[in-house]
Coordinates of all heavy atoms in Angstrom, one line a residue:
E1496 N 128.1 130.2 115.1 CA 128.0 130.1 116.5 C 126.5 130.2 116.9 O 125.8 131.0 116.4 CB 128.8 131.2 117.2 CG 129.9 130.6 117.9 CD 130.7 131.7 118.6 OE1 130.2 132.3 119.5 OE2 131.8 132.0 118.1
K1497 N 126.1 129.4 117.9 CA 124.7 129.4 118.3 C 124.6 130.3 119.5 O 125.5 130.3 120.4 CB 124.3 128.0 118.7 CG 124.1 127.1 117.5 CD 123.5 125.8 118.0 CE 123.3 124.9 116.8 NZ 122.7 123.6 117.2
T1498 N 123.6 131.1 119.5 CA 123.3 131.9 120.7 C 121.9 131.5 121.3 O 121.0 131.2 120.5 CB 123.3 133.4 120.4 OG1 122.4 133.6 119.4 CG2 124.7 133.8 119.9
E1499 N 121.8 131.4 122.5 CA 120.6 131.0 123.1 C 119.7 132.2 123.2 O 120.1 133.3 123.6 CB 120.8 130.4 124.5 CG 121.3 129.0 124.5 CD 121.2 128.4 125.9 OE1 120.3 128.7 126.7 OE2 122.1 127.6 126.1
M1500 N 118.4 132.0 122.9 CA 117.4 133.0 123.0 C 116.3 132.5 123.8 O 115.9 131.4 123.8 CB 116.9 133.4 121.6 CG 117.9 133.9 120.6 SD 117.3 134.3 119.0 CE 116.4 135.8 119.4
T1501 N 115.7 133.4 124.6 CA 114.6 133.0 125.5 C 113.3 133.2 124.7 O 113.2 134.1 123.8 CB 114.6 133.9 126.7 OG1 114.4 135.3 126.3 CG2 115.8 133.7 127.6
A1502 N 112.4 132.3 125.0 CA 111.1 132.4 124.3 C 110.3 133.6 124.8 O 110.4 133.9 126.0 CB 110.3 131.1 124.6
P1503 N 109.6 134.2 123.9 CA 108.8 135.4 124.3 C 107.6 134.9 125.2 O 107.1 133.8 125.0 CB 108.3 136.0 123.0 CG 108.4 134.9 122.0 CD 109.5 134.0 122.4
E1504 N 107.2 135.8 126.0 CA 106.0 135.5 126.9 C 104.8 135.5 126.0 O 104.6 136.3 125.1 CB 105.9 136.6 128.0 CG 107.0 136.5 129.0 CD 107.0 135.2 129.8 OE1 105.9 134.7 130.1 OE2 108.1 134.7 130.1
P1505 N 103.9 134.5 126.3 CA 102.6 134.5 125.5 C 101.8 135.7 125.8 O 101.8 136.2 126.9 CB 101.9 133.2 126.0 CG 102.6 132.9 127.3 CD 103.9 133.4 127.3
A1506 N 101.1 136.1 124.7 CA 100.3 137.3 124.9 C 99.0 137.0 125.7 O 98.5 135.9 125.6 CB 99.9 137.9 123.5
E1507 N 98.6 137.9 126.4 CA 97.3 137.6 127.2 C 96.1 138.1 126.4 O 96.1 139.2 125.9 CB 97.4 138.4 128.5 CG 98.5 138.0 129.5 CD 98.2 136.6 130.0 OE1 97.0 136.3 130.3 OE2 99.1 135.8 130.2
F1508 N 95.2 137.2 126.3 CA 94.0 137.6 125.6 C 92.8 137.6 126.5 O 92.8 136.8 127.5 CB 93.6 136.5 124.5 CG 94.6 136.5 123.4 CD1 95.6 135.5 123.3 CD2 94.6 137.5 122.4 CE1 96.5 135.4 122.2 CE2 95.6 137.5 121.4 CZ 96.5 136.4 121.3
P1509 N 91.9 138.5 126.3 CA 90.7 138.5 127.2 C 89.9 137.2 127.1 O 89.9 136.6 126.1 CB 89.9 139.7 126.7 CG 90.7 140.4 125.7 CD 91.8 139.5 125.3
A1510 N 89.3 136.8 128.2 CA 88.6 135.5 128.3 C 87.4 135.5 127.4 O 86.9 134.4 126.9 CB 88.2 135.2 129.7
D1511 N 86.8 136.7 127.1 CA 85.6 136.7 126.2 C 85.9 136.8 124.7 O 85.0 137.0 123.9 CB 84.7 137.8 126.7 CG 85.3 139.2 126.5 OD1 86.5 139.2 126.4 OD2 84.6 140.2 126.6
M1512 N 87.2 136.7 124.3 CA 87.5 136.9 122.9 C 87.3 135.5 122.2 O 87.6 134.5 122.7 CB 89.0 137.2 122.8 CG 89.4 137.5 121.3 SD 91.1 138.1 121.2 CE 90.9 139.7 121.7
I1513 N 86.6 135.6 121.1 CA 86.3 134.4 120.3 C 87.0 134.5 119.0 O 86.9 135.5 118.3 CB 84.7 134.3 120.1 CG1 84.0 134.2 121.4 CG2 84.4 133.1 119.2 CD1 82.5 134.2 121.3
F1514 N 87.7 133.4 118.6 CA 88.4 133.3 117.4 C 87.5 132.5 116.4 O 87.1 131.4 116.7 CB 89.7 132.6 117.5 CG 90.7 133.4 118.3 CD1 90.8 133.2 119.7 CD2 91.5 134.3 117.7 CE1 91.7 133.9 120.4 CE2 92.4 135.1 118.4 CZ 92.5 134.8 119.8
E1515 N 87.2 133.0 115.3 CA 86.4 132.4 114.3 C 87.0 132.6 112.9 O 87.6 133.6 112.6 CB 84.9 132.9 114.2 CG 84.1 132.6 115.4 CD 82.7 133.1 115.3 OE1 82.4 133.7 114.2 OE2 81.9 133.0 116.2
Q1516 N 86.9 131.5 112.1 CA 87.3 131.6 110.7 C 86.1 132.0 109.9 O 84.9 131.8 110.3 CB 87.9 130.3 110.2 CG 89.3 130.0 110.8 CD 89.8 128.8 110.2 OE1 89.1 127.9 109.7 NE2 91.1 128.7 110.1
D1517 N 86.4 132.5 108.7 CA 85.3 132.8 107.8 C 84.6 131.4 107.4 O 85.3 130.4 107.1 CB 85.9 133.4 106.5 CG 84.9 133.8 105.5 OD1 83.8 134.1 105.9 OD2 85.2 133.8 104.3
P1518 N 83.3 131.4 107.4 CA 82.6 130.1 107.0 C 83.0 129.6 105.6 O 83.1 128.4 105.5 CB 81.1 130.5 107.0 CG 81.0 131.7 107.9 CD 82.4 132.4 107.8
V1519 N 83.3 130.4 104.7 CA 83.8 130.0 103.4 C 85.1 129.2 103.5 O 85.3 128.2 102.9 CB 83.9 131.1 102.4 CG1 84.4 130.7 101.1 CG2 82.5 131.8 102.2
Q1520 N 86.0 129.8 104.3 CA 87.3 129.1 104.6 C 87.1 127.7 105.2 O 87.7 126.8 104.8 CB 88.2 129.9 105.5 CG 88.9 131.0 104.8 CD 89.9 131.7 105.8 OE1 89.5 132.0 106.9 NE2 91.1 132.1 105.3
I1521 N 86.2 127.7 106.2 CA 86.0 126.4 106.8 C 85.4 125.4 105.8 O 85.8 124.2 105.7 CB 85.0 126.6 108.0 CG1 85.7 127.4 109.1 CG2 84.5 125.2 108.6 CD1 84.7 127.8 110.2
L1522 N 84.4 125.8 105.0 CA 83.8 125.0 104.0 C 84.8 124.5 103.0 O 84.9 123.3 102.6 CB 82.6 125.7 103.3 CG 81.8 124.8 102.4 CD1 81.1 123.7 103.1 CD2 80.8 125.7 101.7
N1523 N 85.7 125.4 102.5 CA 86.7 125.1 101.6 C 87.7 124.1 102.1 O 88.3 123.3 101.4 CB 87.4 126.4 101.1 CG 86.6 127.2 100.1 OD1 85.6 126.7 99.5 ND2 86.9 128.4 100.0
A1524 N 88.0 124.1 103.4 CA 88.9 123.2 104.1 C 88.3 121.9 104.3 O 88.9 120.8 104.2 CB 89.4 123.8 105.4
I1525 N 87.0 121.8 104.7 CA 86.4 120.6 105.2 C 85.8 119.8 104.0 O 85.8 118.6 104.0 CB 85.4 120.9 106.3 CG1 86.1 121.3 107.5 CG2 84.5 119.6 106.6 CD1 85.1 121.7 108.6
L1526 N 85.2 120.5 103.0 CA 84.5 119.8 101.9 C 85.4 118.8 101.2 O 84.9 117.7 100.9 CB 83.9 120.9 101.0 CG 82.9 120.3 100.0 CD1 81.7 119.6 100.6 CD2 82.4 121.4 99.1
P1527 N 86.6 119.2 100.8 CA 87.4 118.2 100.1 C 87.7 117.0 100.9 O 87.7 115.8 100.4 CB 88.7 118.9 99.7 CG 88.3 120.4 99.7 CD 87.2 120.5 100.8
L1528 N 87.9 117.2 102.2 CA 88.2 116.1 103.1 C 87.0 115.2 103.2 O 87.1 113.9 103.2 CB 88.6 116.6 104.5 CG 89.9 117.3 104.6 CD1 90.1 117.9 106.0 CD2 91.1 116.4 104.2
Y1529 N 85.8 115.8 103.3 CA 84.5 115.0 103.4 C 84.3 114.2 102.1 O 84.0 113.0 102.2 CB 83.4 116.0 103.6 CG 82.0 115.3 103.6 CD1 81.6 114.5 104.7 CD2 81.2 115.4 102.5 CE1 80.4 113.8 104.7 CE2 80.0 114.8 102.5 CZ 79.6 114.0 103.6 OH 78.4 113.3 103.5
L1530 N 84.5 114.8 101.0 CA 84.3 114.1 99.7 C 85.3 113.0 99.5 O 85.0 111.9 99.1 CB 84.4 115.1 98.5 CG 83.3 116.1 98.4 CD1 83.5 117.1 97.3 CD2 82.0 115.4 98.3
N1531 N 86.6 113.2 99.9 CA 87.6 112.1 99.9 C 87.2 111.0 100.8 O 87.3 109.8 100.4 CB 88.9 112.7 100.3 CG 89.6 113.5 99.2 OD1 89.2 113.4 98.0 ND2 90.6 114.3 99.6
G1532 N 86.6 111.3 101.9 CA 86.2 110.2 102.8 C 85.0 109.5 102.3 O 85.0 108.2 102.4
Q1533 N 84.1 110.2 101.7 CA 82.9 109.5 101.1 C 83.4 108.6 99.9 O 82.9 107.5 99.7 CB 81.9 110.5 100.6 CG 81.2 111.2 101.7 CD 80.4 110.3 102.6 OE1 79.7 109.4 102.1 NE2 80.6 110.4 103.9
I1534 N 84.3 109.1 99.1 CA 84.7 108.3 97.9 C 85.5 107.1 98.4 O 85.3 105.9 98.0 CB 85.6 109.1 97.0 CG1 84.8 110.2 96.3 CG2 86.4 108.3 96.0 CD1 85.5 111.2 95.5
L1535 N 86.3 107.2 99.4 CA 87.1 106.1 100.0 C 86.1 105.1 100.6 O 86.3 103.9 100.4 CB 88.0 106.6 101.1 CG 88.9 105.5 101.8 CD1 89.8 104.8 100.8 CD2 89.7 106.2 102.9
R1536 N 85.1 105.5 101.3 CA 84.1 104.6 101.9 C 83.4 103.8 100.8 O 83.2 102.6 100.9 CB 83.1 105.4 102.8 CG 82.1 104.5 103.5 CD 81.1 105.3 104.2 NE 80.3 106.2 103.4 CZ 79.3 105.9 102.7 NH1 78.8 104.7 102.6 NH2 78.6 106.8 102.0
T1537 N 83.0 104.5 99.8 CA 82.3 103.9 98.6 C 83.2 102.8 98.0 O 82.8 101.7 97.7 CB 81.9 104.9 97.6 OG1 81.1 105.9 98.2 CG2 81.2 104.3 96.5
L1538 N 84.5 103.1 97.8 CA 85.4 102.2 97.2 C 85.6 101.0 98.1 O 85.7 99.8 97.7 CB 86.7 102.8 96.9 CG 86.7 103.9 95.7 CD1 88.1 104.6 95.6 CD2 86.3 103.2 94.4
Q1539 N 85.7 101.2 99.4 CA 85.9 100.1 100.4 C 84.7 99.2 100.4 O 84.8 98.0 100.5 CB 86.2 100.7 101.8 CG 87.6 101.3 101.9 CD 87.8 102.0 103.2 OE1 86.9 102.4 103.9 NE2 89.1 102.1 103.6
E1540 N 83.5 99.8 100.4 CA 82.3 99.0 100.3 C 82.2 98.2 99.1 O 81.8 97.0 99.1 CB 81.1 99.9 100.5 CG 80.9 100.4 101.9 CD 79.7 101.4 102.0 OE1 79.0 101.6 101.0 OE2 79.4 101.9 103.1
S1541 N 82.7 98.8 98.0 CA 82.7 98.0 96.7 C 83.6 96.8 96.7 O 83.2 95.7 96.3 CB 83.1 99.0 95.6 OG 83.2 98.3 94.4
V1542 N 84.8 97.0 97.3 CA 85.7 95.9 97.4 C 85.2 94.9 98.3 O 85.3 93.7 98.0 CB 87.1 96.5 97.9 CG1 88.0 95.3 98.2 CG2 87.7 97.3 96.8
A1543 N 84.6 95.3 99.4 CA 84.1 94.3 100.4 C 82.9 93.5 99.8 O 82.8 92.3 100.0 CB 83.6 95.0 101.7
S1544 N 82.1 94.2 99.0 CA 81.0 93.5 98.3 C 81.5 92.5 97.3 O 81.0 91.4 97.2 CB 80.1 94.6 97.7 OG 79.1 93.9 96.9
E1545 N 82.5 92.9 96.6 CA 83.1 92.0 95.6 C 83.7 90.7 96.3 O 83.5 89.6 95.8 CB 84.2 92.7 94.8 CG 84.8 91.7 93.7 CD 86.0 92.4 93.0 OE1 86.3 93.5 93.3 OE2 86.6 91.7 92.2
L1546 N 84.4 91.0 97.4 CA 85.0 89.8 98.1 C 83.9 88.9 98.7 O 84.0 87.7 98.7 CB 85.9 90.3 99.2 CG 87.2 91.0 98.7 CD1 88.0 91.5 99.8 CD2 88.0 90.0 97.8
A1547 N 82.8 89.5 99.2 CA 81.7 88.7 99.7 C 81.1 87.9 98.6 O 80.8 86.7 98.8 CB 80.7 89.6 100.4
A1548 N 80.9 88.5 97.5 CA 80.3 87.7 96.3 C 81.2 86.6 95.9 O 80.8 85.5 95.6 CB 80.1 88.7 95.2
R1549 N 82.5 86.8 95.9 CA 83.5 85.8 95.5 C 83.5 84.6 96.6 O 83.5 83.5 96.2 CB 84.9 86.3 95.4 CG 85.2 87.1 94.2 CD 86.6 87.6 94.2 NE 86.8 88.4 93.0 CZ 88.0 88.8 92.6 NH1 89.1 88.3 93.2 NH2 88.2 89.5 91.5
M1550 N 83.4 85.0 97.8 CA 83.4 84.0 98.9 C 82.1 83.1 98.8 O 82.1 81.9 98.9 CB 83.4 84.6 100.3 CG 84.8 85.2 100.6 SD 84.8 86.1 102.2 CE 84.3 84.8 103.3
Q1551 N 81.0 83.8 98.5 CA 79.7 83.1 98.3 C 79.8 82.2 97.1 O 79.3 81.0 97.2 CB 78.5 84.1 98.2 CG 77.2 83.4 98.0 CD 76.8 82.6 99.3 OE1 77.1 83.0 100.4 NE2 76.1 81.5 99.1
S1552 N 80.3 82.6 96.0 CA 80.5 81.8 94.8 C 81.4 80.6 95.1 O 81.0 79.5 94.6 CB 81.1 82.7 93.7 OG 81.3 81.9 92.6
M1553 N 82.5 80.8 95.8 CA 83.4 79.7 96.1 C 82.7 78.7 97.0 O 82.8 77.5 96.9 CB 84.7 80.2 96.7 CG 85.5 80.9 95.7 SD 86.0 80.0 94.2 CE 87.0 78.7 94.9
Q1554 N 81.9 79.2 98.0 CA 81.2 78.3 98.9 C 80.1 77.4 98.1 O 80.0 76.2 98.3 CB 80.5 79.1 100.0 CG 79.8 78.2 101.0 CD 80.8 77.4 101.8 OE1 81.8 77.9 102.2 NE2 80.4 76.1 102.0
S1555 N 79.4 78.1 97.2 CA 78.5 77.4 96.4 C 79.1 76.3 95.5 O 78.7 75.2 95.3 CB 77.7 78.3 95.5 OG 76.9 79.2 96.3
A1556 N 80.3 76.7 94.9 CA 81.0 75.7 94.1 C 81.5 74.5 94.9 O 81.4 73.4 94.5 CB 82.2 76.4 93.4
S1557 N 82.0 74.8 96.1 CA 82.4 73.7 97.0 C 81.2 72.8 97.4 O 81.4 71.6 97.4 CB 83.0 74.3 98.3 OG 84.2 75.0 98.0
D1558 N 80.1 73.4 97.7 CA 78.9 72.6 98.0 C 78.5 71.8 96.8 O 78.1 70.6 97.0 CB 77.8 73.5 98.5 CG 78.1 74.2 99.8 OD1 79.0 73.8 100.5 OD2 77.3 75.2 100.1
N1559 N 78.5 72.3 95.6 CA 78.1 71.6 94.4 C 79.0 70.5 94.1 O 78.6 69.4 93.7 CB 78.0 72.5 93.2 CG 76.8 73.5 93.3 OD1 75.9 73.2 94.1 ND2 76.9 74.6 92.6
A1560 N 80.3 70.7 94.4 CA 81.3 69.7 94.1 C 81.1 68.5 95.1 O 81.3 67.3 94.7 CB 82.7 70.2 94.2
G1561 N 80.8 68.8 96.3 CA 80.6 67.8 97.3 C 79.3 66.9 97.0 O 79.3 65.7 97.1
A1562 N 78.3 67.6 96.5 CA 77.1 66.9 96.1 C 77.3 66.0 94.9 O 76.9 64.9 94.8 CB 75.9 67.9 95.8
L1563 N 78.1 66.6 93.9 CA 78.4 65.8 92.7 C 79.3 64.6 93.1 O 79.1 63.5 92.6 CB 79.2 66.7 91.8 CG 79.6 66.0 90.4 CD1 78.4 65.6 89.6 CD2 80.5 67.0 89.6
E1564 N 80.2 64.7 94.0 CA 81.1 63.6 94.5 C 80.2 62.5 95.1 O 80.3 61.3 94.8 CB 82.1 64.1 95.5 CG 82.9 63.0 96.0 CD 83.8 63.4 97.2 OE1 83.5 64.5 97.8 OE2 84.7 62.7 97.5
S1565 N 79.2 62.9 95.9 CA 78.4 61.9 96.6 C 77.5 61.2 95.5 O 77.4 60.0 95.6 CB 77.4 62.6 97.6 OG 78.2 63.2 98.6
E1566 N 77.0 61.9 94.6 CA 76.1 61.3 93.5 C 76.9 60.4 92.7 O 76.5 59.2 92.4 CB 75.5 62.4 92.7 CG 74.6 61.9 91.6 CD 73.4 61.2 92.1 OE1 72.9 61.5 93.2 OE2 72.9 60.3 91.4
L1567 N 78.1 60.8 92.3 CA 79.0 59.9 91.4 C 79.4 58.7 92.2 O 79.5 57.6 91.7 CB 80.2 60.7 90.9 CG 79.9 61.7 89.8 CD1 81.1 62.5 89.4 CD2 79.2 61.1 88.6
S1568 N 79.7 58.8 93.5 CA 80.1 57.7 94.3 C 79.0 56.7 94.4 O 79.2 55.5 94.3 CB 80.6 58.2 95.7 OG 80.9 57.1 96.5
M1569 N 77.8 57.2 94.6 CA 76.6 56.3 94.7 C 76.4 55.6 93.4 O 76.2 54.4 93.4 CB 75.4 57.2 95.0 CG 74.1 56.4 95.1 SD 73.8 55.8 96.8 CE 73.6 57.3 97.7
Q1570 N 76.5 56.3 92.3 CA 76.4 55.6 90.9 C 77.4 54.6 90.7 O 77.1 53.5 90.2 CB 76.4 56.7 89.8 CG 75.2 57.5 89.7 CD 75.3 58.6 88.6 OE1 76.3 58.6 87.8 NE2 74.3 59.4 88.5
Y1571 N 78.7 54.9 91.1 CA 79.8 53.9 91.0 C 79.5 52.7 91.8 O 79.7 51.5 91.3 CB 81.1 54.6 91.3 CG 82.2 53.6 91.4 CD1 82.8 53.1 90.3 CD2 82.7 53.1 92.6 CE1 83.9 52.2 90.3 CE2 83.7 52.2 92.7 CZ 84.3 51.7 91.6 OH 85.3 50.8 91.6
N1572 N 79.1 52.9 93.1 CA 78.9 51.8 94.0 C 77.7 50.9 93.5 O 77.7 49.7 93.5 CB 78.6 52.2 95.4 CG 79.9 52.7 96.1 OD1 81.0 52.4 95.7 ND2 79.7 53.6 97.0
R1573 N 76.6 51.5 92.9 CA 75.5 50.8 92.4 C 76.0 49.9 91.2 O 75.6 48.8 91.0 CB 74.4 51.7 92.0 CG 73.6 52.2 93.2 CD 72.5 53.1 92.8 NE 71.8 53.6 94.0 CZ 71.0 54.6 94.0 NH1 70.7 55.2 92.9 NH2 70.4 55.0 95.1
A1574 N 76.7 50.5 90.3 CA 77.2 49.8 89.1 C 78.1 48.7 89.5 O 78.0 47.5 89.0 CB 78.0 50.8 88.2
R1575 N 79.0 48.9 90.5 CA 79.9 47.8 91.0 C 79.1 46.7 91.6 O 79.3 45.5 91.4 CB 80.9 48.4 92.0 CG 81.9 47.4 92.4 CD 83.0 48.1 93.3 NE 82.4 48.8 94.4 CZ 82.1 48.3 95.6 NH1 82.2 47.0 95.8 NH2 81.6 49.1 96.5
Q1576 N 78.1 47.1 92.4 CA 77.2 46.1 93.1 C 76.4 45.3 92.0 O 76.3 44.1 92.1 CB 76.3 46.8 94.0 CG 75.4 45.8 94.9 CD 74.6 46.6 95.9 OE1 74.4 47.8 95.8 NE2 74.0 45.8 96.8
A1577 N 75.9 46.0 91.0 CA 75.2 45.3 89.9 C 76.1 44.3 89.2 O 75.7 43.2 88.8 CB 74.6 46.3 88.9
A1578 N 77.4 44.7 89.0 CA 78.3 43.8 88.3 C 78.6 42.6 89.1 O 78.7 41.4 88.6 CB 79.6 44.5 87.9
V1579 N 78.8 42.8 90.4 CA 79.1 41.6 91.3 C 77.9 40.7 91.4 O 78.0 39.5 91.3 CB 79.4 42.2 92.8 CG1 79.4 41.0 93.8 CG2 80.8 42.9 92.7
T1580 N 76.7 41.3 91.5 CA 75.4 40.5 91.5 C 75.3 39.7 90.2 O 74.9 38.5 90.2 CB 74.2 41.4 91.7 OG1 74.4 42.1 92.9 CG2 72.9 40.6 91.8
Q1581 N 75.6 40.3 89.1 CA 75.5 39.6 87.8 C 76.5 38.5 87.7 O 76.1 37.4 87.3 CB 75.8 40.6 86.6 CG 75.7 40.0 85.3 CD 74.3 39.5 84.9 OE1 73.3 40.1 85.4 NE2 74.2 38.4 84.2
E1582 N 77.7 38.7 88.2 CA 78.7 37.6 88.2 C 78.2 36.4 89.1 O 78.4 35.2 88.8 CB 80.1 38.1 88.7 CG 80.8 38.9 87.7 CD 82.1 39.4 88.1 OE1 82.7 38.7 89.1 OE2 82.6 40.4 87.6
L1583 N 77.7 36.8 90.3 CA 77.2 35.7 91.2 C 76.0 34.9 90.5 O 75.9 33.7 90.6 CB 76.7 36.3 92.5 CG 77.8 36.8 93.5 CD1 77.2 37.5 94.7 CD2 78.6 35.6 93.9
L1584 N 75.1 35.6 89.8 CA 74.0 35.0 89.1 C 74.6 34.0 88.0 O 74.0 32.9 87.8 CB 73.1 36.0 88.5 CG 72.2 36.7 89.5 CD1 71.4 37.8 88.8 CD2 71.3 35.8 90.3
E1585 N 75.6 34.5 87.3 CA 76.2 33.6 86.3 C 76.8 32.4 86.9 O 76.7 31.3 86.3 CB 77.2 34.4 85.5 CG 76.6 35.5 84.6 CD 77.6 36.4 83.9 OE1 78.8 36.2 84.1 OE2 77.2 37.3 83.2
I1586 N 77.5 32.6 88.0 CA 78.2 31.4 88.7 C 77.1 30.4 89.1 O 77.2 29.2 88.9 CB 79.0 31.9 89.9 CG1 80.2 32.7 89.3 CG2 79.5 30.7 90.7 CD1 81.0 33.4 90.4
V1587 N 76.0 30.9 89.8 CA 75.0 30.1 90.3 C 74.3 29.4 89.1 O 74.0 28.2 89.1 CB 73.9 30.9 91.1 CG1 72.7 30.1 91.4 CG2 74.6 31.3 92.4
A1588 N 74.0 30.1 88.0 CA 73.4 29.5 86.8 C 74.3 28.5 86.2 O 73.8 27.4 85.8 CB 73.1 30.6 85.8
G1589 N 75.6 28.7 86.2 CA 76.5 27.7 85.6 C 76.5 26.5 86.5 O 76.6 25.3 86.0
A1590 N 76.6 26.7 87.8 CA 76.6 25.5 88.7 C 75.3 24.7 88.6 O 75.2 23.5 88.6 CB 76.7 26.0 90.2
T1591 N 74.1 25.4 88.4 CA 72.8 24.8 88.3 C 72.8 24.0 87.0 O 72.3 22.9 86.9 CB 71.7 25.8 88.3 OG1 71.8 26.6 89.5 CG2 70.4 25.1 88.2
A1592 N 73.4 24.5 85.9 CA 73.4 23.8 84.6 C 74.3 22.6 84.7 O 73.9 21.6 84.1 CB 73.9 24.8 83.5
I1593 N 75.4 22.6 85.4 CA 76.2 21.5 85.5 C 75.5 20.4 86.3 O 75.6 19.2 86.0 CB 77.6 21.8 86.2 CG1 78.4 22.7 85.3 CG2 78.4 20.6 86.6 CD1 79.6 23.3 85.9
E1594 N 74.8 20.7 87.4 CA 74.1 19.8 88.2 C 72.9 19.2 87.5 O 72.5 18.0 87.7 CB 73.6 20.4 89.5 CG 74.7 20.7 90.5 CD 74.1 21.4 91.7 OE1 72.9 21.6 91.9 OE2 74.9 21.8 92.6
G1595 N 72.3 20.0 86.7 CA 71.0 19.7 86.1 C 71.0 18.7 85.0 O 70.4 17.7 84.9

């Protein structure tokens, strides 16, 4: 069975009373948290740096692929144009030989 109990009244403390912990206790409590935070920040920066390097590498690869595509397209078009020009010259030479 449950019985209701009233909460005790809070104790009155003088206004000039200061609560302090021992500095060693504070250092022992805060130092591990600080070190964990620093390690986490270092790992996050490392991951961010790696991802930035990968993004830069992929951007460079994309740029190089675009330049290569343009160069190969230009070479192909020049070769095709040279072949068409050669065929036209052969046709004209053949027509000139027949007339001549």
Side-chain angles (χ1 to χ4, degrees):
E1496 249 180 70
K1497 289 186 179 180
T1498 59
E1499 284 192 31
M1500 297 180 73
T1501 59
E1504 291 295 321
E1507 293 292 325
F1508 293 105
D1511 62 345
M1512 185 176 284
I1513 298 174
F1514 292 94
E1515 291 184 3
Q1516 287 184 333
D1517 182 33
V1519 174
Q1520 277 184 320
I1521 294 173
L1522 188 63
N1523 286 340
I1525 292 177
L1526 190 60
L1528 296 175
Y1529 174 76
L1530 291 177
N1531 284 341
Q1533 291 298 316
I1534 291 171
L1535 179 62
R1536 182 183 60 83
T1537 303
L1538 292 174
Q1539 288 172 338
E1540 287 178 1
S1541 174
V1542 169
S1544 175
E1545 179 186 358
L1546 291 177
R1549 286 184 182 193
M1550 287 174 61
Q1551 181 64 37
S1552 176
M1553 291 302 294
Q1554 184 64 46
S1555 295
S1557 295
D1558 293 345
N1559 290 341
L1563 180 62
E1564 177 190 18
S1565 297
E1566 180 65 29
L1567 290 176
S1568 179
M1569 180 90 61
Q1570 288 179 5
Y1571 171 75
N1572 287 336
R1573 285 183 181 162
R1575 187 174 52 84
Q1576 186 177 13
V1579 168
T1580 303
Q1581 181 64 33
E1582 287 182 22
L1583 286 174
L1584 288 174
E1585 290 173 1
I1586 292 171
V1587 170
T1591 304
I1593 292 175
E1594 288 178 4

